[in-house]
């Protein structure tokens, strides 16, 4: 006996289930991005009005005209209205009346990307869209920064505007980077890679992406509210002294943080519980290991950011004094709380990038992943150690000098598990016949870039060097090499690798290769000179600099423009190949053994017609006859005589790249 | 156009496998939630000890000012009582008495909601300004976080109680919510267990911060 995945509430009457009725309403009456934006505007207006009512008599708004209570309530209720408008609270409210979850609905068409959708593949694509919005907005702000730095003394912006643009750029990029892999690729791929039909908590997952987009809207409001002068790190006491743009920073970061926590909760529970039969920990794909390590950081490090933001908001609205030295608080408290999140955040960004590279290398070198277990252990080691290094950001402030050697040591220790991950990659490439396809080019570039970023990181962990180059362009170049050179290159590698599966369309290879080379060359030409600029003494976040550094700055700026244009190639390729001149992608164009490539394209709503029984890890490229999984025996005695549910089946059938139709109906080879 | 997922059949083995996964997810989810809460309250505790040891401008706690002790004790007692009732209810539930769990749950919900209301009331009756000292600031921070914790715990408990009422008829012929093998009952039990552990966590937090803010 079998049952359908949905249990229509009113199926017996023939009426469509409530979720479907909601979708079938006319556009003005259903819930989508439009209603979410209306909710956001309404929520903001209501919150702002309430704030004015509460704080109109307070001394602070009367003296400087700035009512942070109104702004914070406006932004918070605006975000709440946005979530209500999209439908994120429909089920939590229904649950208070004891109702069951509504049945899952498989939606078609582009509208599903603008609704509260429970399909992890739709959520993944929603994350792609929002992440690219973040990336292009932050990129435009970067172009503005580089334009200002073309000349050391003639200015386009005022000093306040410049620092506001720098802060907005940094914050938007960090928000984006914290979710750019976990969100799009983690949500889209993890269930497929572990052989699951669904996420553990699909509503939590869907809420996380809408929180992510709400955070984008909130942080955008910082500029019209006057910006914030602190840069992305939001240091007190400047935090307490700045204008209302700081409220956008604090509320925006808290919203993004909540989304990150929810995403981590869901992905962690999914990986631990929803692995297919036979998907033992020794067979879990390396990308999934990287996501699992990252979820630990999301769940345990991000709450500190949310609390730190709450304290900042309380300081600015309820007039507490967490970060006010003169009233019993301490500005260093913010530094500690922020960096307790902030340094694991670096690995929230880096680890999934390593995971992507670990997936790509074996496919394009046709070699097993070298020392797979060492790689997985390295990722867990990095995640664990990342909680013990935050004070290296405080070497010059807020730390007992006697503690410096300890945190210097812990910081340097982290290079050991990172080195594991590097060696896994190099071992895989050793004596391999490499196919230089676009995903592989990006993966190799990650190693080149991250090597420079990592080695300079070791320098920076040493107290004497840190003291010398602190707050200079050297530090800026270092973290751009690790985050952009590592994570963003890995992200694009992952997009070129998995987009054919995600969209069912083939991206133009020539354009992809042009994109890679321009991005790679001009990334290095943009950021490598910044190491020199920093060593020569140019500080970050300052728009006037020594005239002798103009040549290097101009070189960097011009390179940055070309680097920026490389993203336009990607955007053009994406739109051209997906929408204007689409070419159908093969089911498994790269010949990968990954489980996600063994399902048809487009991937069905339920992922797998039968739950796969995994029989081997996905990296055995040296054993072409070894199957990965069995796609027809689980729970089907007719196909698997004598096999108990979940029992390992000795031989498997792997669909080849030309199996582009429906599920292979053939019984597996036994 | 939306269509329900049609023509897709799961085998009983697959349903059983995914049900076990869902039960495991409830276990992991509730423990992860406690992990999130632990780091939230640990951040507050860090702030407490950091500001206390820094004692900037001698303004950690001038004149040993204290928040209203009676109100604080009442809030702590209500949180602890809710946790105790949840645990007792869960104990009776495991022994098959759903009604005992429901009575304990409604009582616990009432006490939890009362604690929530008292916490708001206490924040309006503080004998110090929020920014007058490090102690005052961290106390206001504790009040805000405690409200979030109590609200979350009460919401979880209320949804389970409401679900229990609706589930009663559906599982009546299968041994009731405590014994039924139906998927809805099994997931319900997993959620009851998670909620109970979460309230236990809230009670531990309440003890710790009650000691920090009122006793030390």
């Amino acid at each position: 006996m079998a049952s359908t995945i949905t249990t229509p509430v009113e199926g017996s009457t023939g009426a469509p289930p409530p979720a479907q009725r909601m979708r079938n309403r006319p556009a003005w009456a259903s819930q989508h991005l439009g209603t979410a934006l209306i909710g956001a505007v309404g929520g903001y207006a209501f919150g702002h009005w309430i704030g004015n009512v509460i704080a109109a008599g307070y001394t602070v708004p009367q003296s400087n005209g700035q009512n942070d209570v109104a702004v914070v309530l406006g932004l918070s209720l605006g975000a709440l209205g946005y979530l209500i408008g999209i439908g994120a609270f429909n089920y939590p409210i229904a649950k208070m009346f004891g109702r069951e979850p509504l049945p899952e609905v498989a939606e078609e068409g582009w509208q599903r990307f603008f609704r509260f959708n429970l399909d992890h593949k739709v959520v993944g694509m929603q994350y792609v869209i929002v992440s690219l919005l973040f990336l292009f907005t932050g990129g435009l702000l970067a172009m503005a920064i580089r334009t200002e730095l073309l000349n050391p003394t003639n200015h386009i912006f005022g000093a306040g505007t410049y620092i506001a643009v720098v802060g907005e750029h940094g914050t938007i990029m960090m928000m984006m980077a914290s979710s750019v892999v976990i969100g799009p690729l983690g949500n889209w791929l993890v269930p497929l890679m572990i052989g699951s039909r669904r996420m553990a908590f699909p509503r939590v997952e869907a809420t996380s992406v809408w929180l992510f987009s709400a955070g984008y809207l909130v942080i955008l409001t910082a500029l019209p509210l006057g910006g914030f002068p602190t840069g992305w790190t939001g240091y007190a006491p400047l935090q307490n002294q700045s204008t209302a743009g700081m409220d956008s920073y604090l509320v925006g970061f808290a919203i993004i943080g909540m989304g990150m926590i929810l995403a981590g909760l869901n992905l962690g529970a999914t990986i631990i519980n929803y692995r297919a039969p036979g998907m033992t920990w020794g067979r879990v794909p390396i990308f999934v290991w990287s996501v699992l390590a990252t979820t630990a950081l999301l769940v345990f490090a991000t709450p500190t950011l949310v609390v730190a933001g709450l304290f900042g908001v309380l300081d600015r609205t309820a007039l507490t004094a967490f970060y006010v030295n003169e009233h019993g608080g301490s500005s260093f408290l913010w530094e500690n709380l922020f960096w307790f999140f902030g340094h694991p955040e670096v690995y929230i960004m880096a680890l999934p990038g390593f995971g992507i590279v670990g997936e790509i290398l074996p496919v394009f070198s046709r070699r097993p992943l070298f020392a797979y277990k060492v790689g997985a252990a390295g990722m867990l080691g990095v995640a664990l150690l990342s909680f013990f290094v935050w004070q290296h950001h405080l070497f010059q402030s807020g730390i007992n000098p006697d503690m410096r050697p300890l945190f210097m040591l812990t910081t340097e220790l982290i290079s050991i598990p990172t080195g594991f991950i590097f060696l896994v990659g190099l071992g895989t490439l050793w004596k391999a016949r490499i196919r230089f396809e676009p995903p592989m080019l990006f993966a190799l570039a990650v190693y080149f870039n991250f090597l420079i970023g990592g080695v300079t990181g070791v320098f920076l962990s040493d107290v004497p060097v840190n003291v010398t180059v602190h707050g200079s362009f050297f530090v800026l170049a270092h973290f751009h090499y690790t985050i952009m050179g590592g994570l963003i290159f890995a992200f694009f590698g992952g997009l070129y690798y998995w987009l054919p599966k995600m969209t069912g369309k083939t991206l133009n290879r020539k354009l992809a290769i042009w994109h890679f080379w321009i991005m790679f060359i001009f990334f290095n030409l943009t950021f490598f000179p910044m190491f020199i600029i920093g060593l020569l003494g140019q500080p970050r976040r300052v728009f006037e600099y020594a005239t002798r550094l103009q040549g290097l700055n101009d070189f960097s700026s011009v390179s940055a423009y070309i680097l920026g244009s490389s993203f336009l190639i990607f955007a053009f390729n994406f739109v051209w190949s997906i929408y204007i001149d689409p070419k159908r992608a093969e089911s498994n164009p790269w010949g990968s053994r990954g489980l996600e490539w063994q399902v048809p394209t487009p991937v069905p709503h339920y992922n797998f017609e039968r739950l796969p029984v995994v029989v081997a890890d996905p990296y055995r490229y040296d054993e072409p006859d070894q199957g990965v999984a069995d796609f027809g025996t689980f729970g089907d005695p007719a196909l698997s005589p004598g096999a108990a549910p979940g029992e390992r089946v000795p031989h498997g059938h792997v669909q080849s790249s030309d199996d582009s139709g429906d599920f292979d109906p053939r019984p597996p080879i036994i | 156009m939306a269509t329900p997922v049609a023509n897709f059949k799961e085998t009983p083995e697959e349903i059983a496998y995914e049900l076990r996964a869902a039960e495991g997810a409830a276990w992991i989810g509730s423990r992860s939630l406690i992990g999130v809460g632990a780091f939230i309250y640990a951040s507050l505790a860090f702030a407490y000890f950091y500001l206390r040891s820094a004692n900037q401008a001698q303004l950690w706690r001038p004149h040993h000012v204290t928040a209203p002790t009676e109100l604080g004790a009442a809030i702590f007692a209500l949180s602890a009582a809710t946790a105790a009732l949840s645990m007792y209810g869960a104990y009776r539930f495991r022994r098959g008495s759903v009604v005992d769990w429901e009575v304990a749950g409604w009582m616990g919900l009432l006490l939890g909601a009362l604690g929530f209301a008292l916490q708001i009331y206490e924040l309006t009756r503080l004998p110090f300004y929020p920014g007058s000292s490090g102690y005052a600031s961290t106390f206001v921070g504790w009040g805000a976080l405690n409200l979030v914790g109590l609200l979350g715990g009460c919401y979880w408990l209320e949804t389970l109680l409401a679900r229990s009422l609706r589930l009663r008829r559906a599982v009546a012929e299968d041994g009731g919510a405590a014994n039924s093998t139906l998927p809805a009952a099994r997931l319900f039990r997993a959620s009851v267990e998670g909620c109970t552990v979460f309230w236990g966590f809230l009670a531990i937090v309440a003890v710790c911060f009650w000691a920090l803010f009122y006793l030390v």
Side-chain angles (χ1 to χ4, degrees):
Chain A
M1 188 185 134
S3 71
T4 59
I5 196 171
T6 59
T7 36
V9 174
E10 292 156 277
S12 57
T13 64
Q20 190 184 350
R21 284 209 303 272
M22 176 67 87
R23 301 286 189 265
N24 291 342
R25 284 179 187 173
W28 59 268
S30 64
Q31 287 176 296
H32 45 65
L33 182 62
T35 52
L37 292 172
I38 291 169
V41 172
Y44 182 85
F46 180 67
H48 201 275
W49 175 74
I50 291 277
N52 277 324
V53 170
I54 292 172
Y58 287 12
T59 313
V60 174
Q62 283 177 348
S63 61
N64 66 8
Q66 178 177 313
N67 188 344
D68 290 303
V69 178
V71 175
V72 166
L73 279 178
L75 293 172
S76 304
L77 293 190
L80 190 67
Y82 183 77
L83 292 177
I84 291 171
I86 199 67
F89 282 93
N90 292 357
Y91 178 59
I93 291 170
K95 207 174 172 186
M96 293 181 73
F97 298 95
R99 296 195 184 280
E100 285 267 26
L102 294 175
E104 289 179 35
V105 170
E107 278 192 277
E108 299 296 331
W110 59 270
Q111 295 97 328
R112 66 193 154 143
F113 297 112
F114 299 93
R115 295 185 194 277
F116 190 80
N117 194 296
L118 303 185
D119 184 349
H120 69 93
K121 297 180 287 295
V122 175
V123 173
M125 286 307 290
Q126 288 171 332
Y127 262 114
V128 170
I129 295 164
V130 184
S131 297
L132 290 176
L133 261 179
F134 265 99
L135 186 65
F136 281 95
T137 311
L140 282 175
L141 292 164
M143 296 301 108
I145 293 167
R146 289 316 313 176
T147 304
E148 169 58 49
L149 293 177
L150 279 170
N151 193 293
T153 49
N154 293 330
H155 303 301
I156 298 165
F157 304 121
T161 308
Y162 176 73
I163 193 65
V165 170
V166 169
E168 187 81 359
H169 160 75
T171 309
I172 281 183
M173 286 303 204
M174 291 311 253
M175 286 176 166
M176 176 274 298
S178 63
S179 297
V180 72
V181 172
I182 281 286
L185 301 177
N187 282 297
W188 209 97
L189 290 166
V190 161
L192 286 162
M193 285 182 144
I194 62 173
S196 171
R197 289 197 175 114
R198 55 175 63 90
M199 284 288 191
F201 306 117
R203 283 170 189 79
V204 169
E205 179 202 25
T207 304
S208 77
V209 72
W210 290 103
L211 278 168
F212 188 48
S213 58
Y216 173 75
L217 295 175
V218 169
I219 196 64
L220 278 188
T221 64
L223 285 178
L225 287 172
F228 46 93
T230 58
W232 84 276
T233 50
Y235 272 17
L238 205 49
Q239 181 190 108
N240 302 71
Q241 299 158 0
S242 66
T243 55
M246 201 76 226
D247 296 324
S248 301
Y249 168 90
L250 292 167
V251 175
F253 239 141
I255 289 172
I256 291 279
M258 285 187 268
M260 289 161 68
I261 292 169
L262 295 184
L265 275 172
N266 171 56
L267 281 164
T270 303
I271 294 167
I272 292 170
N273 294 288
Y274 278 81
R275 283 170 294 123
M279 178 62 82
T280 58
W281 288 113
R283 292 173 182 162
V284 167
I286 200 75
F287 177 69
V288 177
W289 272 113
S290 76
V291 172
L292 185 64
T294 307
T295 60
L297 300 178
L298 289 169
V299 168
F300 298 132
T302 316
T304 308
L305 171 75
V306 177
V307 172
L310 172 71
F311 291 168
V313 165
L314 286 174
D315 273 7
R316 295 174 60 83
T317 55
L319 301 185
T320 54
F322 283 100
Y323 307 134
V324 184
N325 297 334
E326 297 79 5
H327 292 270
S330 172
S331 55
F332 295 135
L333 175 61
W334 167 267
E335 292 189 27
N336 277 284
L337 292 175
F338 180 82
W339 285 115
F340 187 82
F341 153 78
H343 204 83
E345 157 83 342
V346 172
Y347 297 101
I348 288 172
M349 296 184 268
L351 285 174
F354 290 141
I356 290 175
V357 173
E359 289 296 325
I360 291 174
L361 292 186
V363 175
F364 294 96
S365 59
R366 311 313 289 176
R367 294 281 311 275
L369 187 66
F370 176 75
Y372 158 89
K373 288 181 181 172
V374 174
M379 285 170 179
L380 296 179
V382 167
L384 182 67
L385 274 175
S386 71
F387 283 103
F388 300 97
V389 299
W390 86 97
Q391 289 246 341
H392 68 225
H393 293 276
L394 284 73
F395 275 160
Q396 300 215 70
S397 61
I399 184 174
N400 180 341
D402 292 340
M403 295 293 282
R404 285 171 170 176
L406 173 67
F407 283 94
M408 185 171 87
L409 181 68
T410 57
T411 306
E412 289 179 348
L413 273 179
I414 214 164
S415 61
I416 295 173
T418 312
F420 286 1
I421 300 168
F422 245 81
L423 290 174
V424 165
L426 294 180
T428 307
L429 293 173
W430 184 252
K431 292 184 177 175
R433 294 176 60 195
I434 298 171
R435 286 187 292 162
F436 291 99
E437 294 293 331
M440 187 63 166
L441 291 172
F442 277 97
L444 293 174
V446 169
Y447 278 95
F448 181 86
N449 297 335
F450 201 87
L451 184 66
I452 297 173
V455 167
T456 51
V458 177
F459 293 169
L460 282 168
S461 68
D462 288 330
V463 176
V465 178
N466 190 291
V467 169
T468 308
V469 298
H470 181 85
S472 75
F473 263 63
F474 187 91
V475 178
L476 187 149
H478 155 70
F479 71 70
H480 278 84
Y481 259 93
T482 53
I483 296 169
M484 186 170 181
L487 176 76
I488 300 300
F489 273 77
F491 172 61
F492 278 108
L495 281 186
Y496 282 115
Y497 180 60
W498 280 298
L499 270 179
K501 177 58 72 179
M502 295 166 81
T503 63
K505 311 289 191 313
T506 303
L507 292 175
N508 185 295
R509 184 174 179 274
K510 271 188 185 168
L511 285 174
I513 289 175
W514 272 100
H515 172 207
F516 167 74
W517 282 111
I518 295 176
M519 185 172 162
F520 177 67
I521 291 169
F522 287 95
F523 164 78
N524 280 284
L525 293 182
T526 300
F527 291 104
F528 199 84
M530 292 186 192
F531 285 118
I532 304 165
I533 292 171
L535 287 173
L536 292 173
Q538 184 171 330
R540 296 163 65 184
R541 299 172 184 165
V542 179
F543 73 158
E544 281 197 345
Y545 55 89
T547 50
R548 68 194 165 95
L549 297 177
Q550 184 175 3
L552 281 168
N553 270 291
D554 287 356
F555 183 81
S556 185
S557 290
V558 172
S559 301
Y561 297 143
I562 303 174
L563 170 63
S565 70
S566 72
F567 292 98
L568 297 180
I569 298 176
F570 170 78
F572 175 78
N573 192 1
F574 188 85
V575 173
W576 179 266
S577 303
I578 307 288
Y579 298 106
I580 297 173
D581 184 23
K583 290 189 175 56
R584 189 168 179 268
E586 289 178 48
S587 173
N588 189 358
W590 315 115
S592 170
R593 290 172 51 88
L595 208 51
E596 76 276 20
W597 293 101
Q598 314 309 325
V599 294
T601 303
V603 180
H605 178 77
Y606 40 82
N607 293 352
F608 301 96
E609 188 169 325
R610 290 272 77 81
L611 279 182
V613 178
V614 179
V615 296
D617 70 64
Y619 305 117
R620 296 195 186 177
Y621 290 100
D622 55 344
E623 298 175 54
D625 296 332
Q626 172 65 54
V628 175
D630 220 316
F631 289 91
T633 59
F634 184 69
D636 196 337
L639 294 176
S640 172
E647 187 182 333
R648 216 178 118 174
V649 180
H651 294 88
H653 166 70
V654 181
Q655 283 181 290
S656 62
S657 60
D658 51 9
D659 285 345
S660 53
D662 287 328
F663 286 95
D664 191 338
R666 293 171 293 174
I669 306 157
I670 298 179
Chain B
M1 181 64 175
T3 52
V5 183
N7 305 322
F8 169 60
K9 306 287 184 186
E10 285 182 297
T11 63
E13 288 82 1
E14 287 177 333
I15 292 169
Y17 195 82
E18 292 189 339
L19 184 58
R20 282 200 299 277
E23 286 176 315
W27 197 96
I28 292 286
S30 58
R31 271 61 178 183
S32 300
L33 199 59
I34 288 170
V36 172
F39 274 80
I40 284 176
Y41 291 111
S43 302
L44 178 69
F46 180 85
Y48 177 95
F49 287 110
Y50 193 89
L51 296 185
R52 184 184 170 126
S53 59
N55 196 14
Q56 296 274 4
Q58 306 298 310
L59 279 175
W60 158 245
R61 196 175 181 179
H63 314 298
H64 204 74
V65 64
T66 303
T69 307
E70 296 78 14
L71 274 173
I75 295 164
F76 155 70
L78 289 168
S79 300
T82 305
L85 281 167
S86 294
M87 287 174 190
Y88 175 72
Y91 167 78
R92 296 292 303 155
F93 185 79
R94 282 194 294 273
R95 273 152 185 72
S97 177
V98 181
V99 175
D100 284 5
W101 173 78
E102 285 178 345
V103 172
W106 285 113
M107 284 293 292
L109 181 62
L110 185 69
L111 298 182
L114 191 58
F116 180 82
L118 276 184
Q119 182 65 78
I120 292 175
Y121 180 72
E122 187 187 35
L123 286 174
T124 66
R125 291 289 175 272
L126 297 180
F128 44 73
Y129 291 109
S132 58
S133 66
Y135 173 88
S137 298
T138 47
F139 186 83
V140 172
W142 156 246
L145 291 177
N146 196 33
L147 284 174
V148 174
L150 288 173
L151 186 66
C154 287
Y155 171 80
W156 195 348
L157 193 51
E158 194 280 335
T159 56
L160 284 173
L161 290 163
R163 184 85 200 99
S164 170
L165 295 179
R166 284 195 186 263
L167 205 59
R168 210 179 269 168
R169 202 182 307 161
V171 297
E173 293 176 5
D174 196 48
N179 300 307
S180 169
T181 53
L182 290 173
R186 286 176 59 177
L187 292 178
F188 177 74
R189 288 198 291 273
S191 194
V192 166
E193 194 268 344
C195 180
T196 306
V197 175
F198 184 72
W199 267 106
F201 165 72
L202 286 183
I204 291 169
V205 168
V207 173
C208 294
F209 282 97
W210 182 69
L212 286 179
F213 283 113
Y214 298 100
L215 297 185
V216 179

